[in-house]
Amino acid sequence: DATMYEVNVRQYTEEGTFKAFEQHLPRLKEMGIKILWFMPIYPISEKKRNGTLGSYYAIADYTGVNPEFGTKEDFRALVEKCHEMGFKVMLDWVANHTGWDNKWITEHPDWYTQDAKGNIVIPPTTNWSDVADLNYKNEDMRKAMIDAMATWVKDFDIDGFRCDYASGVPLDFWNKAREQLEAIKPLFMLAEDDKSMAFLTYSFNSNYGWSLYHSLNNIAKGTAKASSLLSYFNVNKSKYPTGTYPLHFIDNHDENSWNGTVEERLGQAQYPSLALVFTAPGMPLIYSGQEADLNKRLQFFEKDQIDWSNLKNEAFIKSLIALKKDHPALWNGQAGGDITFLETSDEQVLAFERIKDGDKLLVLLNFSKDEKTVTVKFANKVEGTTFDTQASVSYAQGDQSVTLKPWGYQIVVEK
């Protein structure tokens, strides 16, 4: 029943430290967040650095801590506090490349991909000039990488990894890493990938629901219909290995900084989109500041603090997290119920049910700027209450008329 939350330590507070972030834990606990994914916390390379502070993903030392954030002791204390409060802690892991002043460059140049002249190169097909591509044909490098990951599990008791650009690294490495890390403790592994389902057969529990993210942006722009989402969810039923599922989101660090704020991309479509993310199969993700109506693209290489003065969206997000927790039909993976779509008379209106062991919810979503009165074909009679206002709702079996406000939604908890 977990919801994941991505923590951008640099931009979270004025101080940009672990200790300052810790002050927000009670608020996040009250929201109902279960998993905290910390963007890379490691020292950032200075050589070929982008901007003043550099990219979190240009790592100088896999087993160190960025001094801007604090010390190892500070992070260990933060993890302990998170665990005391019932959170799980995941670290962002960048296995595809390092920064240019990582000690591996000078001590083990053969651990890196080189051109015909012996020059270490950036990751192929990218413009990532601030990082050097690692050579996964080198077994010593592979061992050192797994040892570094194990350090965080053994010494800091972290609960999982979000693996950056997972597809840039061979699957057999991830399988070996998972096997060795699981010998220490059970972990949750998230792949930043949506192409290879083989990654989910053993190495990873979840991957990125990028297709849904892009489709929601297109629907908001008017270049796609909401009905196009049916194929995505129906294909996923057989596409995902048993027990695995996608991570769904309308924002994260990359999308906010490089592709636009939620308001820029979705506008009022963010509300039915977020309702869908929390009620459709998959784990929801909330990005730092999303609950505060983050209205700017956070600079990626500079200090650019989140404005917490208006927690405009926090109550809505909190209510969706509680809805998910309270209803097994909405739980993740095998724990939740299947999604069954109902026929509607308008391509911009989605209707579906989810059922699990007697727990049943009806979801109606209007992905249009216009009020919609549509016909929905109900397979069975529906009686219940709306999750937010507790208003009574009743629909007879068969074709029934439903009216939804512009960008409106109705989530009915059935009796």
Side-chain angles (χ1 to χ4, degrees):
D1 62 358
T3 295
M4 188 180 295
Y5 186 94
E6 182 184 3
V7 181
N8 186 332
V9 176
R10 175 189 290 169
Q11 315 297 21
Y12 215 90
T13 62
E14 181 180 359
E15 301 88 344
T17 63
F18 299 130
K19 288 183 177 180
F21 169 73
E22 189 174 316
Q23 306 308 309
H24 284 257
L25 290 178
R27 181 180 64 79
L28 295 172
K29 178 72 173 178
E30 178 66 20
M31 278 179 63
I33 298 297
K34 179 68 174 180
I35 304 170
L36 297 172
W37 148 27
F38 286 85
M39 290 174 67
I41 64 167
Y42 323 101
I44 296 171
S45 289
E46 296 183 14
K47 186 177 181 181
K48 300 189 181 182
R49 172 179 285 192
N50 281 326
T52 306
L53 300 178
S55 169
Y56 319 85
Y57 295 87
I59 294 172
D61 179 2
Y62 281 114
T63 58
V65 162
N66 186 343
E68 297 166 32
F69 296 170
T71 65
K72 284 186 176 181
E73 290 69 29
D74 292 337
F75 183 68
R76 184 176 285 108
L78 176 57
V79 175
E80 290 174 355
K81 183 67 174 178
C82 289
H83 285 163
E84 286 173 12
M85 297 179 68
F87 294 105
K88 299 291 187 182
V89 175
M90 293 177 63
L91 285 184
D92 212 322
W93 196 259
V94 189
N96 182 72
H97 47 262
T98 75
W100 287 97
D101 52 17
N102 191 300
K103 65 180 181 180
W104 288 3
I105 291 246
T106 53
E107 295 178 3
H108 305 285
D110 57 320
W111 289 10
Y112 291 83
T113 306
Q114 300 178 14
D115 63 18
K117 297 181 179 179
N119 300 308
I120 295 173
V121 299
I122 68 171
T125 72
T126 76
N127 62 353
W128 303 343
S129 60
D130 60 337
V131 294
D133 193 60
L134 285 164
N135 173 21
Y136 273 83
K137 294 178 182 179
N138 190 295
E139 292 297 327
D140 291 335
M141 186 279 292
R142 287 178 173 231
K143 181 179 184 302
M145 184 67 72
I146 295 175
D147 287 346
M149 297 178 79
T151 295
W152 293 100
V153 182
K154 290 185 294 186
D155 296 352
F156 294 84
D157 197 26
I158 66 137
D159 305 295
F161 293 97
R162 176 267 185 189
C163 296
D164 182 72
Y165 190 34
S167 59
V169 175
L171 175 58
D172 66 315
F173 168 80
W174 292 124
N175 287 340
K176 188 69 172 179
R178 182 67 185 257
E179 178 185 5
Q180 295 189 17
L181 295 172
E182 284 283 321
I184 305 170
K185 67 178 286 190
L187 298 175
F188 186 89
M189 300 288 286
L190 167 65
E192 189 199 17
D193 175 69
D194 69 341
K195 303 301 183 188
S196 177
M197 289 298 110
F199 277 46
L200 298 172
T201 57
Y202 175 68
S203 299
F204 292 95
N205 303 83
S206 185
N207 68 357
Y208 264 41
W210 259 317
S211 181
L212 178 62
Y213 164 83
H214 291 302
S215 293
L216 290 172
N217 287 337
N218 291 334
I219 291 167
K221 288 189 298 185
T223 58
K225 302 289 188 181
S227 58
S228 65
L229 298 177
L230 271 65
S231 62
Y232 170 76
F233 288 107
N234 287 328
V235 167
N236 280 0
K237 290 180 181 181
S238 57
K239 180 179 178 181
Y240 276 78
T242 302
T244 67
Y245 43 84
L247 182 78
H248 286 145
F249 50 88
I250 62 171
D251 205 15
N252 64 33
H253 66 277
D254 278 325
E255 307 312 329
N256 168 267
S257 291
W258 306 116
N259 297 321
T261 67
V262 170
E263 186 64 33
E264 286 179 283
R265 291 181 286 100
L266 294 173
Q268 293 300 299
Q270 65 185 283
Y271 299 107
S273 295
L274 204 54
L276 177 65
V277 163
F278 275 88
T279 56
M283 180 183 285
L285 171 74
I286 298 297
Y287 179 48
S288 295
Q290 196 174 329
E291 68 271 39
D293 194 27
L294 183 60
N295 63 356
K296 64 177 177 180
R297 303 186 186 195
L298 296 174
Q299 295 184 63
F300 208 80
F301 310 122
E302 310 292 340
K303 178 68 176 175
D304 193 11
Q305 186 187 343
I306 296 167
D307 179 3
W308 294 104
S309 62
N310 178 13
L311 294 173
K312 175 185 174 183
N313 293 327
E314 187 172 79
F316 180 48
I317 293 171
K318 180 180 177 180
S319 69
L320 288 172
I321 293 173
L323 177 74
K324 186 178 182 72
K325 281 189 173 183
D326 291 345
H327 292 282
L330 303 182
W331 289 0
N332 301 321
Q334 286 180 290
D338 284 339
I339 187 169
T340 302
F341 286 96
L342 307 178
E343 184 181 329
T344 74
S345 61
D346 194 298
E347 288 185 307
Q348 293 295 58
V349 175
L350 288 187
F352 62 85
E353 288 184 312
R354 294 190 67 189
I355 305 170
K356 181 73 173 185
D357 298 332
D359 184 45
K360 187 174 181 181
L361 288 92
L362 166 71
V363 181
L364 302 163
L365 304 167
N366 178 15
F367 284 95
S368 166
K369 61 180 176 56
D370 302 314
E371 180 173 282
K372 292 283 187 178
T373 298
V374 300
T375 301
V376 179
K377 186 181 291 293
F378 290 95
N380 301 287
K381 182 179 180 180
V382 173
E383 286 191 358
T385 56
T386 57
F387 96 100
D388 47 359
T389 65
Q390 302 302 304
S392 295
V393 175
S394 179
Y395 296 114
Q397 184 181 16
D399 290 349
Q400 298 295 313
S401 179
V402 175
T403 299
L404 295 169
K405 294 178 180 179
W407 307 114
Y409 59 89
Q410 186 180 88
I411 301 172
V412 180
V413 179
E414 300 189 38
K415 295 178 182 178

